[in-house]
Amino acid sequence: DYWRTARALHAAGFRGGELIHNSFSYHMTPAGSIMESGARALGCTVFAGGTGQTEQQLEAMADLKPEGYAGTPSFLKILLEKAEEKGLKLAAHGVQGTQCYATADLGLVAYETSAREGLVLDEGVLVEIVRPGTGDPVPDGEVGEIVVTTFNPDYPLVRFGTGDLSAVLAGTCPTGRTNTRIK
């Protein structure tokens, strides 16, 4: 659901009308498409950079001057180091990064806000934290496996075990978002 990704991008500070450089892969993984569809739903224009071709991406970034970047931090580091080596000023005031939690099967599950206090679960999924191997819910605050149910009528997943570990974070997000947060 592209609206889940749009909510995460909005929480990260992106706004309609901005240009986003998307360096997530568009082949053999849905990450590029997931991020692009959410950005477009938010009203952003997307430069689909994909992975690799570092020098060409730097030239495009220098010419297009995107307001933001969507991709892995490791590739952003490569881009910024190469830009510095070539004398290009791409991040004059540093980089402010936020993260989201997503999988190829589920799409977006949770996202970070400007408060940087855990990840807020998206309203479009139901998340349980369970004891690995049993599926039994653990008390809030206890570490367990993330199990997700989606409500996509075209590709529903019920109690999909991710294999990832987390815990429910007590309280509500200081930004005012009221959904459950995870560590």
Side-chain angles (χ1 to χ4, degrees), residues 34-110:
I34 288 170
M35 200 55 69
E36 181 169 336
S37 63
R40 289 187 185 280
L42 191 57
C44 296
T45 301
V46 177
F47 166 59
T51 57
Q53 301 173 329
T54 306
E55 292 192 16
Q56 288 177 319
Q57 290 205 42
L58 286 176
E59 289 173 18
M61 292 171 81
D63 289 342
L64 299 173
K65 298 177 182 28
E67 282 86 7
Y69 167 87
T72 63
S74 58
F75 189 61
L76 179 59
K77 183 176 187 269
I78 290 168
L79 286 169
L80 293 175
E81 287 173 351
K82 190 65 147 177
E84 186 176 328
E85 179 184 305
K86 293 191 156 293
L88 296 173
K89 298 283 187 197
L90 294 181
H93 301 291
V95 175
Q96 177 182 335
T98 57
Q99 62 183 325
C100 66
Y101 172 55
T103 74
D105 293 300
L106 299 164
L108 183 102
V109 175

